[in-house]
Amino acid sequence: MIPSNFDYQRAQSVDDALTKLAASGGTGKVIAGGHSLVPMMKLRLHEPTTLIDIARIGELSGIREQDGLIEIGANTVHHDVATSSLLRNNCPIIAETAGMIGDPQVRNRGTLGGSLAHADPAADYPAALLALDAQIQLQGPSGTREVAATDFFQGLFTVDLADNEIITAVRFTPVQVAAYAKLYQRASRFAIVGVAAALVINQGSMLRKPTIRSSRIGLTGAASHALRLTSVEEAVAGQAATAEAMAQAAQGAGAKIDDINADLHASEAYRRAMIQVFTTRALQGALARLPA
Amino acid sequence: MNPVSRRAFLKSSVAVTAATTFPRTRLSAAGQEPDGVPPAAPQTTISLRVNSERHTLEVEDRWTLVELLRDHLQLTGTKVGCDRGECGACTVHLDGMPVYSCSQLAVWADGREVTTVEGLADGVHLDPLQQAFIDGDGPQCGFCTSGQLMSAKAVVMTNPNPTEDEVRQGMAGNICRCSNYNRYVAAVMSRPPQQASRLDPLATVGVSHPRIDARERVTGLAQYTGDVAVPDMLYARVIRSPHPHARITRIDTTHALEMPGVHVVLTRQQCDVTWSSGDSHNPRYLFNNPVRFVGDPVAAVAAIDRHTAEAALKVIDVDYEPLDFVLDHEEALLSGIVEVQPGGNLSPRRDGERLPEIYQRGDLDVGFAASDVIVEETYVSKHHNNAQMEPRSAVAQWTGDQLTLWSPTQGISNTRRDMARDLDIPPERVRVICQYMGGGFGNKNQNQDSDLIAAVLAREAGRPVKLELTRKEDFLGVHGRWPTTQHYKIGASRDGTLQALQLRGYSGMGPHRKSSGGIAGIELFRCPNVRREVSPVYTNMTVAANFRGPAYPQGVWGIESVMDQLAHELAIDPLDFHLHNLTREYNDETPYTSWSLRECITEGADRFDWANRWRQPNGRTDRVARGVGMAIGMFAARLGRSSAVLRLEQNHLWLHIGVTDIGTATKTAMAQIAAEAMDMNLTDVTVVWGDTDQCPYSVGESGSRTTTHTGHAIIQAAEDLKRQIAALNGALGDRPLIAQATPEPTIEGMARYASAAHFVEIEVDTELGGIAVMQYLAMHESGRIINPLTAESQIKGGVTMGIGMALHEELVYDRATGVPVNPGYYGAKVMTHLDAPEIEVHFIEPIDTFGPYSAKNVGEPPVIPVVAAIGNAVFNATGRRIKELPMTRTRVVEALA
């Protein structure tokens, strides 16, 4: 429970952080809130020789809206995402998701970028980012690049992030009609099954009830990495915007995924059953956000 | 191990010391200084404010914030319970926000403001929350209290009028294993506790009083073992077996011994000390070969600091030859299965016979022939860790041949006796100090291997040694509640009268027999024909032993589930079934000194409105099913031998007692008894406790008997003191007086028990399988309640702990590898603020002349009926029984399928 030796370096800017990272010759690690990395270092699952602290890089923090897009800096802690009035008003699902992470101590220090880089299969953010079709901003020695959330989460603790890159921000178009629902591990409050659903609605008229034009549904906690529930997305399309139709569309949601986790928190069969339950809840929760 | 070889070890210890000293006095290959200073770690200069005081200091980059606070700024109010961001004991404020200081690097605090529990009070003026925690009895053992306070403070700083749910959410990251969640939340809500003694209170006894040491517990001043620092202290770490069963073929400590800063490396080769209280049947060495469970100690290191000790562990090479292993206690008894201990896996009885423990009366065949309904069912309970907030720790210091040991023990006298025996030195050469300790719930009754390891390392090193186990080590290396398999066959006649009661049970003890391994509960019922056969079995799981109410919570769950099923099959209200078949005499032959079980049931049922709430289960299919359940429990209010010394000087009374106060408010209750007996004010009594050099003998705080045995001693000593005063005919003046007593009260031919009946309403979410406790009523008889405030906290905590055992707590093993997969608070899912419902507590207070002021016992009874009551409520709600613990969501869904 004691980390091995490392050299701590504080980066002043993103460029400075990248320089330090490059100089570490592949043995460096970037740290912001440390809530994933420090425990892993104590267990010696990670033994970086250089730790590059990016927590004080101002440009990596904050929540902004520009040209209809919302951008959350990678250093933004979960607490700030959960309590942001900008997000609560314009894209409540992301604030809701952040507010369901861990406990206050974790939310006060854990960062969005750290959570995404660590890519715990039970982390909450990935489901919401998939539902929002978010773009993850990365910066490396050769400049910046943007990766869609759908492509970013690749496997167990594996994301599309090179050793010499850092996550700088996440960007997405705000969605009102979206919700996150999760069954959590009661002690850690990590997701056993977490589902985020975002809906695009065909407005109803005097003669026609509102229907679902399209949806994006992200699932976390159930498999080696977060993924889209495409079969449910297809089933939802064109359905009436009613709670019953959502429950109907979610039928069998858990049966259509190949690789489902079985661990001490839940069996595979239980998780499959819960995927359907929480997909229904997320879809219905999203509908409940439809303006009256 | 025989005394000769123990002595031989000590005689040889000089040579061993010389051998281990040699490598650190020569230049190492890397050319470091010869004085054993390890190479400097990277450092950074930081400036920060801690509790408004500015510090500029060099910190090692690898230090965590809690390490800086505790080890280097001596702010030890902040505790380390898990060191991995799970338990919350280390919570401090960083720029006003609560954070886990174990998961922060110290360098991050540069330029920031840190507030610890020591910074809450304004000089002598406590923060209102600290006062609320005192008045509302927040701290039991107190180890989590600083963290609870810091989280609570953060809640009220941002929201002065929070709802109860907001308080729970705000404190969700702070575990309290005493499970005093109700009290903490009520204190933050400024909701004063309301307890009234049913008996007319005496002058002091029977009156609610905050703990006399509550101030120390809420200010961070209470000194726990981990807070002790003595000059030149070394830090120790232990290597533990990663295998459930293996022979060690080679240990190479060369690299560790060559490491600068490493003073001693101990393995079985240098140390054949036995830990005699670790196994009552087989020799158990500090370091065993073969190793018999994952977590069995293999080697220990003492080094100049934590980091060096940890680094040394990594370079000790151990070769293991894995052996077959067995985890399941029934499988362990099959032929052809590996022997965990020589001679077989059935642990022998006290008489040495390898036979099950058997109790019987009457004739089962007659009983079953007379039965109209027979229920045969099997119940399986799991290993459930005590998980007390303070991990095992010890500080050992030798002055010549005199050992001073700081240890978080439940019994300083026991620990002194055990240490002297195991080290083969006279008891007067051992001093054991335990001022405050962070809970144990039965797993710190005797000396611990950590105590011995620290003592032997310190002796070898010639310097004091501190050993603090990690949370994982504490889960693996120590013990929890023994898992059981219980096969019942019980018959009753149509009128609901029990006719035959048979239990064949198996208890998995791990590889060492520390405790009874009993399965208790059938004695709660009157029945003419009974046979109980229990086999304590050696396995390669971690060691199992005493945990709050040992033998009862799992046994009562089994028997009470079967009774509930019998009542169901006979179409009788389980309440009536209980009243009809209740024990009247212990094992139907020994009268009770006082017996209130019936009254607990009837009054509890009235308060719960059982008559209107219980319905036959109807197999309804609502998504949320509601149900009620009840169960009973008893626990022996044993007597015991303890001493008390009273010292009266200048109208002030000093009470010397050998207790440690494990969170039960023993010191307060004993001070109340002394004040009552001497007709003095509580404020005129000072308790001297927790130090074998200053306190007389105590049998130790186990078996829920401290109030009885120490209370008796105090009253008897007080009688003597009062006689001395009277003899002076008013000429007492400044004359100091001393009185002491060591009574050994007996209850020849009688049984003395506390009673409880619990009533619960639950909701089962049939879709998720979740079980939510909606209402919980605990009706208890514990004799006269000395301090209603703190006694009720005990009941609330015990019940809450039982709910965790019922619903989600378990040490899970990978059956293929024999490795426990979830050692830790998150993995084993101990109860949190978010899980804990409000527990309603009532006491019946009969006169029991065998107790001091009629008192019995409080600590262990509340956990006993909980699992059974919840299981019966699940049946009432759903028509299904979960026969394997814990009743997880997955198991509930499977049962409902």
Side-chain angles (χ1 to χ4, degrees), chain A residues 1-2 5-6 8 10 42 44 53 56 103 105 108-109 184-186 189 265 270 274 281, chain B residues 61-62 83 91 97-98 100 102 104 108 110 112 172 174 307 623 767-768 808 826 829 889:
Chain A
M1 291 306 287
I2 292 177
N5 254 340
F6 57 85
Y8 170 86
R10 190 176 298 157
K42 285 186 175 179
R44 308 263 172 135
D53 182 2
R56 297 186 200 219
D103 51 46
Q105 290 94 322
N108 287 337
R109 286 297 294 149
Y184 60 82
Q185 203 275 54
R186 62 196 325 140
R189 288 164 293 273
H265 309 307
Y270 181 80
M274 290 308 107
R281 291 185 186 188
Chain B
D61 291 348
R62 62 191 177 180
D83 209 17
T91 303
M97 303 287 265
Y100 292 129
C102 75
Q104 308 290 315
W108 286 340
D110 187 20
R112 297 195 161 112
N174 293 83
H307 299 274
R623 192 177 76 78
E767 194 170 54
L768 306 187
H808 39 78
Y826 276 3
K829 302 189 183 81
R889 293 183 281 219

Side-chain angles (χ1 to χ4, degrees), chain B residues 27-42:
Chain B
L27 273 170
S28 77
Q32 275 94 13
E33 295 300 310
D35 58 356
V37 177

Side-chain angles (χ1 to χ4, degrees), chain A residues 1-10 31-35 38-39 41-44 47 49 51 53-56 77 79-80 99 102-109 183-190 192 263-267 269-271 273-274 276-278 280-281, chain B residues 41-42 44 46 61-62 64 82-85 88 91 94 97-100 102-105 107-112 151 169-174 237 306-307 310-311 314 470 623 765 767-769 771 808 812 821-822 825-827 829-830 832 834-835 889-890 893-894:
Chain A
M1 291 306 287
I2 292 177
S4 52
N5 254 340
F6 57 85
D7 182 31
Y8 170 86
Q9 300 179 357
R10 190 176 298 157
I31 192 162
H35 270 60
V38 170
M41 286 169 58
K42 285 186 175 179
L43 295 170
R44 308 263 172 135
E47 299 191 61
T49 56
L51 212 50
D53 182 2
I54 60 168
R56 297 186 200 219
V77 297
H79 172 84
D80 290 347
D103 51 46
Q105 290 94 322
V106 170
R107 294 195 291 274
N108 287 337
R109 286 297 294 149
L183 178 72
Y184 60 82
Q185 203 275 54
R186 62 196 325 140
S188 68
R189 288 164 293 273
F190 268 108
I192 292 172
D263 55 26
L264 71 115
H265 309 307
S267 65
Y270 181 80
R271 270 204 176 77
M274 290 308 107
Q276 176 176 329
V277 171
F278 283 83
T280 305
R281 291 185 186 188
Chain B
T44 302
I46 65 168
D61 291 348
R62 62 191 177 180
T64 57
C82 69
D83 209 17
R84 58 199 229 196
T91 303
L94 191 63
M97 303 287 265
V99 299
Y100 292 129
C102 75
S103 300
Q104 308 290 315
L105 295 179
V107 287
W108 286 340
D110 187 20
R112 297 195 161 112
S151 285
Q169 293 290 343
M171 298 172 80
N174 293 83
R237 293 280 286 116
R306 300 170 190 283
H307 299 274
E310 179 83 9
K314 307 294 177 195
T470 65
R623 192 177 76 78
D765 182 326
E767 194 170 54
L768 306 187
I771 296 170
H808 39 78
V812 178
V821 295
N822 61 340
Y825 284 122
Y826 276 3
K829 302 189 183 81
V830 305
T832 72
L834 301 184
D835 298 318
R889 293 183 281 219
T890 299
V893 166
E894 284 168 0

Side-chain angles (χ1 to χ4, degrees), chain B residues 576-590:
Chain B
D576 298 330
F577 187 80
H578 273 90
L579 293 174
H580 184 61
N581 289 298
L582 215 51
T583 172
R584 263 76 166 173
E585 295 181 313
Y586 182 73
N587 278 341
D588 289 358
E589 59 182 13
T590 310

Side-chain angles (χ1 to χ4, degrees), chain A residues 30 38 45 66 97 102 113-114 158 162 184 195 219 239 248 254 260 277 286:
Chain A
V30 167
V38 170
L45 294 172
Q66 200 175 6
T97 303
T158 307
Y184 60 82
V195 181
L219 168 70
Q239 299 298 317
Q248 191 61 40
I260 294 289
V277 171

Side-chain angles (χ1 to χ4, degrees), chain B residues 758-760 773-778 799 803 838-840 865-866 869:
Chain B
H758 287 191
F759 298 83
V760 62
V773 173
M774 309 308 290
Q775 189 194 349
Y776 203 105
L777 187 147
V799 171
I803 293 172
E838 187 69 27
I839 310 299
E840 184 183 341
V866 183

Side-chain angles (χ1 to χ4, degrees), chain B residues 393-453:
Chain B
S393 52
V395 176
Q397 181 176 34
W398 291 88
T399 309
D401 58 0
Q402 172 81 34
L403 170 66
T404 302
L405 176 76
W406 288 264
S407 171
T409 175
Q410 294 181 226
I412 51 172
S413 301
N414 291 348
T415 298
R416 177 176 59 180
R417 175 202 63 204
D418 297 344
M419 293 300 286
R421 182 179 57 207
D422 293 343
L423 296 172
D424 198 28
I425 55 177
E428 67 272 18
R429 301 260 175 83
V430 181
R431 177 184 183 185
V432 178
I433 301 172
C434 175
Q435 289 293 285
Y436 290 87
M437 59 89 77
F441 314 107
N443 71 8
K444 293 174 177 171
N445 291 343
Q446 297 89 16
N447 72 335
Q448 302 297 311
D449 60 349
S450 43
D451 298 329
L452 282 167
I453 291 171

